[in-house]
Amino acid sequence: MGDTNSPDTSAPAETPSDAELSSGSESRRNALVSVLTGFLSFVIVAIPSFLAGAFYLDPILRRKKSGGAAGGGALDGFIKLDATTDSLPDDGTPVAVTVKSTLDDAWNRFKDVPVGSVWLRKQPDGSVIAFNSICPHLGCSVNYRRSDDDFFCPCHTSSFDLDGTKTNEVPPRNMDELEIITATDGEPGKDGKELWLKFQNFRGATEQKIPV
Amino acid sequence: MNALMAWLDNRTGYKSLMHEALYERVPGGARWRYVWGSTLVFTFVLQVITGFMLWSAYSPSTRTAWESVYYIQNEMTLGYLIRGVHHFAAQAMVVLMAIHLVQVIIDGAYKAPREINFWLGMVLMMIVLGLSLTGYLLPWDQKGYYATQVTTNIMSLTPVAGAEVQTLAQGGNQYGHMTLTRFFAMHAGILPALLVAFLALHIYCFRRHGLTVHDENHAPETSFWPDQVLKDAIACLAVLAVVLLFAIFKGAELSAPADAAVKFDAARPEWYFLFLFRFLRFHAVESIGLVWGAIVLPGVIMGVIALMPLTHKFLGEFGHTLNKAFIWLLGAAIVVLTAMAFIEDRNDIDHQAALAEAHRDGGRAVELASGPDRIPVDGAVGMLRRDPFTQGPRLFAKHCSSCHRYNGHDGRGMLVTEKKKVAPPTASDLGNFGSREWMRSIVVDYAAHLSPLKNAGWFKDAKAKEEAGEDVTYLNPDESEMADWSGYPESLLSDENSENLDALVEFLYSEANPGYIPADVKEREEWVNALAANEQLAAKGRAVATEGAWAGDLEGTSCADCHTTIGEDFVAVSDDDADGYPTMAKYGSAKWLTDFIRNPGAPRHYGAKNEMPAYPPQQLTDEDLNLLVRWLTHDYLPSDVPDYPSRLGDLPSAGDAAADSNEADEDATEGQDLEENAGEEATEQE
Ligand code: FES
């Protein structure tokens, strides 16, 4: 081997232990260096790990409200539905209506796209109630069951009265009722034919109604 | 605890593994010169950490790549840092790799028995370069898009199967979704997996042969832990600090979203490939065939490096000297070529303008993406295509700038030249079109306002004919009814009329209905308030315009004497109903301007005196006209992006006294521009 600098390569490198290398003060110095080295090694790994952690926790850290309906004044936050009081059957049969609104999805803003669906029902006094069609159990869709004249979720057989009260033990709570207002030309009023809805989704599987 | 550790050791043997890893002997003592390999491993770990994070938010498709990177960079928690670190650590890796390679060659660490490890190192180098190349495209911005186009086109030069190689790399005949998915798979999957495998082999071989000790008697022998580890850790910390500083203070750039339809003159590869870029620019290289410069020569260089162990084997120490000389020469060539590329670009006024436009577009794209409408379904490209602030200047440069100027430039910051000389404008400068200054200048100083017309060929012809006694109808700024009327500066500017003049200007300005209507509720309020505050003044101005309320020499005159429709809504009155004077109905408004550009020669505009070509829809589509008009009337989301600087000071003034007097109106800041621009112009003329 022409290279005098090359160490012996036939056997694995010898590995002197601390004791072999050092006497008293030497080993104290070594301990100090070890601590410092350990600390620095920790720092160079901790910094990028911290950045990465914060980045990954972004969805929790900001909790920025997404979505949001246009409008102003008394109807701020309400969405005008395609249905009107006239379009709902007087006998109280529920009607499913698609809710369209602005949807923010990360970097995109989609305008006037379906964001959910509600069951609307005209009550005997002529007022309208609205239920989010998402099942409060685990998030499937609640259907209107014509045969039993009730609401029913086929996933795990939750069932509800037409006024949203649960009728068996499967769902943790009643159906999620949503605020709905009648209006004329955007002016809230009892006799209005327009239907304005405050659309919200709620967490599943909880007894309380917790907005997401 | 100890029992637990003992149990673990019994099952895994971790203690001897740790011992093996940490207590490698270091003859001659720990040294700074041994840190480079460790810093490379550290940088790679940094890339893995930040890379996985970016992966968690990145979306590879032509409609979401730029958008998701925008989101990472501008909206996610610490996203700009994660991306910044990834961006600059990638560059640090290339630099460290170069240092590592040079040191290995100089110290002769490639010599037997370490040839295999040297070759493994070269494979690693190729993988890292591949990573940097694939990574450059992923943000799908103009910069990465066009730079990578060059690379994939070079691939097509590959002998025998060039076209196939290119098609495979880009996942189709042209760039698209599949280009991104494939590049991403390479960048985040295949290449890193290869890198890990080869790195393991590289480190294994390194451990097998031990350090290439530079000087055995430098210091007493020590072990890897802790002495060498301390030095390594400090070096890694330094690398991390540098990368972080760059990430915080410089940040990774994101230029405008890639658009194959929008040319990008500022395309450059990453700086460490600039030498190759510059090399390919030599005409001599081009003339021997691009394939030689772009593929064969780099291949030969890599080949020479790869053969270094053999060179040494057959030629002994002389071979080693040759190898060292080669790497120094190569390094020098790279430095020189890189410096040349930098210096040439700095002095290249066209490249600088293209760069400025790239920054403007990039900043604007980010601004729109975070604006009230965010990014629409068709992506950021569609968003920019519909933005007057982005498209207006381009349309102006294309359609208008042969006669008009915009603050002295062609709309995109460039001077208009003709036969290598700055061409004088032959129509008004539209930089302040519709503003209060514009309106005032028309009323008070009509002749000067239109003086650029006198530079036009048609004007000179007409004037010559007129002087020869012919009867010609043309617009002479000095001799027209309007010039006569506004040629009473003493009266118009006198104290008794000053209030009326202010009112008239405010009225004309409000008729042009200038500016953008802010989407932001609060901003809109301020904007409305500002207009409302001047409403009374404008109302008074309306009376001045329609009834005339002037004193002195102008007494008894009013704008409505000639411009009968002033103060009315703009309607395109038929040719028969025109009053024979340019209509001032909502003069300067978007409606007026749209009609004017379509029919400048209609009797309701300049009639027989018109010289401007009409722009029918075949020439300027409705969408383009709309964008142009909205840009000229400032009807767009307001921008904080630095606009093209004024170049009024660079315009030729020789032999044009009227233009001079026009410039004299510019405020003091223009004077500074003039000096700055004079320097630029000098370089341009070189
Ligand atoms: S989700 Fe509806 S019953 Fe379970």
Side-chain angles (χ1 to χ4, degrees):
Chain A
M1 207 182 309
D3 189 352
T4 49
N5 284 342
S6 292
D8 177 15
T9 52
S10 53
E14 247 173 61
T15 53
S17 72
D18 287 10
E20 278 171 320
L21 272 175
S22 50
S23 55
S25 74
E26 184 80 350
S27 82
R28 231 171 301 131
R29 184 196 152 271
N30 248 2
L32 204 69
V33 172
S34 296
V35 170
L36 184 61
T37 308
F39 173 71
L40 287 182
S41 310
F42 170 77
V43 167
I44 58 173
V45 176
I47 291 176
S49 304
F50 167 77
L51 294 181
F55 181 79
Y56 203 78
L57 291 178
D58 170 79
I60 292 180
L61 289 177
R62 335 187 242 176
R63 286 202 173 265
K64 213 163 123 193
K65 271 273 164 225
S66 62
L75 287 175
D76 200 8
F78 283 79
I79 299 164
K80 190 178 170 199
L81 297 177
D82 290 338
T84 62
T85 49
D86 287 346
S87 70
L88 300 177
D90 289 326
D91 64 2
T93 309
V95 173
V97 172
T98 304
V99 183
K100 283 188 179 169
S101 178
T102 302
L103 177 71
D104 280 352
D105 185 358
W107 51 84
N108 277 129
R109 170 160 293 172
F110 304 108
K111 289 192 171 162
D112 204 29
V113 290
V115 292
S117 127
V118 285
W119 285 108
L120 298 183
R121 197 168 82 84
K122 199 184 265 182
Q123 292 178 300
D125 67 348
S127 67
V128 174
I129 53 172
F131 299 106
N132 195 322
S133 70
I134 295 177
C135 179
H137 183 226
L138 289 171
C140 292
S141 299
V142 176
N143 294 333
Y144 169 59
R145 185 159 57 173
R146 200 167 289 276
S147 57
D148 296 55
D149 197 30
D150 69 350
F151 288 118
F152 175 73
C153 177
C155 282
H156 318 95
T157 69
S158 287
S159 61
F160 310 87
D161 271 351
L162 286 188
D163 66 359
T165 316
K166 61 178 190 158
T167 50
N168 64 19
E169 285 310 307
V170 181
R173 60 169 188 263
N174 298 336
M175 282 178 78
D176 298 319
E177 191 176 341
L178 298 171
E179 227 181 305
I180 190 161
I181 292 180
T182 52
T184 315
D185 293 331
E187 275 304 313
K190 240 185 149 352
D191 311 320
K193 305 244 177 279
E194 298 167 4
L195 290 171
W196 291 72
L197 177 81
K198 187 163 205 164
F199 185 72
Q200 267 184 313
N201 287 325
F202 301 89
R203 294 221 332 238
T206 55
E207 273 171 47
Q208 273 84 41
K209 210 171 139 186
I210 306 166
V212 292
Chain B
M1 191 67 191
N2 271 342
L4 185 68
M5 292 310 230
W7 178 84
L8 200 64
D9 189 36
N10 182 276
R11 303 301 190 275
T12 62
Y14 82 92
K15 274 186 181 159
S16 69
L17 193 72
M18 290 280 283
H19 200 264
E20 172 91 1
L22 291 176
Y23 292 99
E24 193 205 5
R25 57 197 207 96
V26 182
R31 309 215 36 191
W32 287 110
R33 56 188 310 135
Y34 302 148
V35 301
W36 301 112
S38 302
T39 56
L40 271 167
V41 174
F42 171 70
T43 331
F44 176 61
V45 171
L46 214 50
Q47 292 304 68
V48 171
I49 295 176
T50 49
F52 274 123
M53 288 306 107
L54 292 171
W55 190 347
S56 76
Y58 174 71
S59 170
S61 86
T62 62
R63 284 292 172 273
T64 57
W66 186 93
E67 290 77 359
S68 59
V69 174
Y70 152 80
Y71 193 67
I72 293 169
Q73 176 88 11
N74 295 283
E75 303 203 18
M76 290 187 72
T77 312
L78 295 186
Y80 69 100
L81 266 187
I82 294 285
R83 178 162 178 257
V85 168
H86 198 74
H87 180 80
F88 289 107
Q91 303 181 22
M93 213 159 164
V94 174
V95 173
L96 294 169
M97 211 167 57
I99 296 176
H100 191 52
L101 176 73
V102 170
Q103 199 190 21
V104 161
I105 293 173
I106 289 172
D107 282 356
Y110 61 85
K111 297 176 190 170
R114 297 187 175 83
E115 311 95 310
I116 300 277
N117 211 17
F118 180 67
W119 292 328
L120 286 172
M122 288 194 69
V123 172
L124 284 169
M125 195 164 89
M126 298 307 227
I127 296 174
V128 169
L129 291 181
L131 279 166
S132 106
L133 205 128
T134 46
Y136 203 44
L137 177 72
L138 295 182
W140 203 246
D141 60 350
Q142 288 282 76
K143 203 171 70 158
Y145 180 89
Y146 280 98
T148 314
Q149 283 279 2
V150 174
T151 317
T152 45
N153 276 315
I154 285 177
M155 286 180 187
S156 75
L157 297 171
T158 313
V160 190
E164 287 73 16
V165 170
Q166 186 185 16
T167 308
L168 274 183
Q170 59 194 28
N173 290 330
Q174 56 194 19
Y175 275 25
H177 291 317
M178 290 297 282
T179 316
L180 276 171
T181 50
R182 292 174 80 93
F183 267 61
F184 188 48
M186 275 285 170
H187 185 78
I190 299 166
L191 291 176
L194 287 174
L195 187 87
V196 169
F198 278 93
L199 188 60
L201 287 175
H202 192 63
I203 293 176
Y204 166 77
C205 285
F206 161 69
R207 277 303 167 97
R208 181 176 161 77
H209 301 300
L211 276 166
T212 305
V213 178
H214 191 65
D215 173 12
E216 210 154 347
N217 302 318
H218 179 74
E221 173 168 305
T222 176
S223 66
F224 188 56
W225 174 270
D227 286 358
Q228 185 60 45
V229 180
L230 178 65
K231 288 196 162 58
D232 287 358
I234 292 173
C236 293
L237 190 64
V239 171
L240 180 63
V242 170
V243 166
L244 273 175
L245 284 179
F246 270 102
I248 292 169
F249 293 108
K250 192 152 188 299
E253 201 195 348
L254 179 63
S255 58
D259 186 344
V262 175
K263 66 191 187 78
F264 186 70
D265 299 333
R268 290 290 180 271
E270 279 280 51
W271 61 266
Y272 41 81
F273 286 132
L274 264 184
F275 74 95
L276 206 55
F277 161 84
R278 183 60 191 81
F279 179 70
L280 294 180
R281 271 187 147 193
F282 285 120
H283 291 284
V285 173
E286 189 69 40
S287 64
I288 60 163
L290 196 52
V291 64
W292 290 92
I295 294 185
V296 177
L297 191 88
V300 167
I301 290 175
M302 292 312 277
V304 170
I305 296 177
L307 289 176
M308 280 182 176
L310 301 182
T311 313
H312 173 255
K313 184 174 158 84
F314 293 116
L315 301 179
E317 275 316 295
F318 174 64
H320 182 49
T321 312
L322 271 186
N323 286 339
K324 283 198 280 191
F326 180 79
I327 203 72
W328 281 125
L329 274 178
L330 181 67
I334 288 177
V335 169
V336 168
L337 284 171
T338 308
M340 275 175 79
F342 266 114
I343 292 167
E344 286 170 2
D345 277 352
R346 180 147 307 162
N347 293 329
D348 181 345
I349 200 161
D350 289 334
H351 181 70
Q352 290 303 321
L355 219 52
E357 184 160 274
H359 287 311
R360 186 182 187 269
D361 287 352
R364 181 59 171 173
V366 168
E367 202 166 61
L368 289 174
S370 50
D373 290 337
R374 316 213 47 195
I375 302 176
V377 195
D378 62 344
V381 170
M383 176 186 82
L384 271 193
R385 283 184 190 150
R386 290 188 294 272
D387 175 39
F389 183 78
T390 310
Q391 302 307 330
R394 291 185 159 89
L395 291 164
F396 184 89
K398 187 171 165 197
H399 296 287
C400 318
S401 69
S402 60
C403 302
H404 293 280
R405 300 291 179 274
Y406 194 88
N407 290 331
H409 57 75
D410 68 345
R412 301 169 74 176
M414 296 294 288
L415 289 168
V416 179
T417 52
E418 214 171 76
K419 296 190 189 116
K420 301 207 166 180
K421 274 197 184 140
V422 179
T426 58
S428 32
D429 190 299
L430 299 176
N432 63 357
F433 178 76
S435 66
R436 292 184 174 95
E437 298 72 49
W438 170 279
M439 297 302 180
R440 182 175 291 269
S441 148
I442 283 190
V443 174
V444 174
D445 210 355
Y446 181 80
H449 186 91
L450 289 185
S451 62
L453 296 181
K454 294 192 282 185
N455 296 329
W458 60 261
F459 179 86
K460 288 168 188 155
D461 290 348
K463 181 136 190 168
K465 278 188 194 161
E466 187 181 55
E467 271 158 13
E470 270 183 70
D471 196 12
V472 272
T473 309
Y474 73 114
L475 204 156
N476 185 340
D478 297 328
E479 291 164 27
S480 76
E481 287 172 79
M482 184 66 199
D484 287 348
W485 187 84
S486 87
Y488 286 107
E490 315 83 48
S491 179
L492 206 48
L493 297 176
S494 65
D495 286 348
E496 46 184 359
N497 278 329
S498 83
E499 241 176 75
N500 282 340
L501 182 60
D502 287 348
L504 178 63
V505 167
E506 186 62 29
F507 163 67
L508 289 173
Y509 172 66
S510 72
E511 285 285 277
N513 195 16
Y516 151 84
I517 302 171
D520 182 90
V521 179
K522 223 185 109 207
E523 277 178 43
R524 190 188 307 161
E525 230 165 71
E526 282 169 21
W527 183 81
V528 169
N529 286 346
L531 268 191
N534 288 327
E535 211 172 304
Q536 273 193 325
L537 194 61
K540 182 177 170 192
R542 175 181 292 271
V544 173
T546 52
E547 289 148 33
W550 306 103
D553 290 342
L554 296 173
E555 201 180 325
T557 68
S558 83
C559 307
D561 289 349
C562 303
H563 308 288
T564 51
T565 53
I566 195 165
E568 292 173 13
D569 262 344
F570 177 81
V571 262
V573 290
S574 71
D575 295 356
D576 295 339
D577 294 341
D579 57 26
Y581 294 92
T583 180
M584 289 285 117
K586 292 262 190 274
Y587 167 73
S589 67
K591 238 176 162 183
W592 177 91
L593 189 54
T594 306
D595 185 69
F596 180 76
I597 294 173
R598 286 273 190 245
N599 332 276
R604 61 181 172 275
H605 295 300
Y606 284 115
K609 288 183 174 176
N610 175 62
E611 288 295 336
M612 175 171 148
Y615 286 83
Q618 306 88 280
Q619 233 175 344
L620 186 64
T621 63
D622 282 343
E623 297 86 61
D624 284 353
L625 177 58
N626 183 6
L627 287 167
L628 182 64
V629 164
R630 286 181 59 197
W631 175 61
L632 285 169
T633 54
H634 303 275
D635 175 16
Y636 45 74
L637 182 77
S639 182
D640 291 329
V641 174
D643 211 339
Y644 304 106
S646 168
R647 305 202 72 171
L648 284 167
D650 294 352
L651 290 184
S653 52
D656 197 347
D660 276 351
S661 75
N662 216 0
E663 266 175 31
D665 286 347
E666 303 299 334
D667 52 353
T669 53
E670 288 301 336
Q672 293 168 356
D673 274 356
L674 212 152
E675 277 168 33
E676 276 176 28
N677 289 334
E680 278 173 36
E681 204 181 330
T683 48
E684 187 190 29
Q685 279 161 0
E686 276 168 15

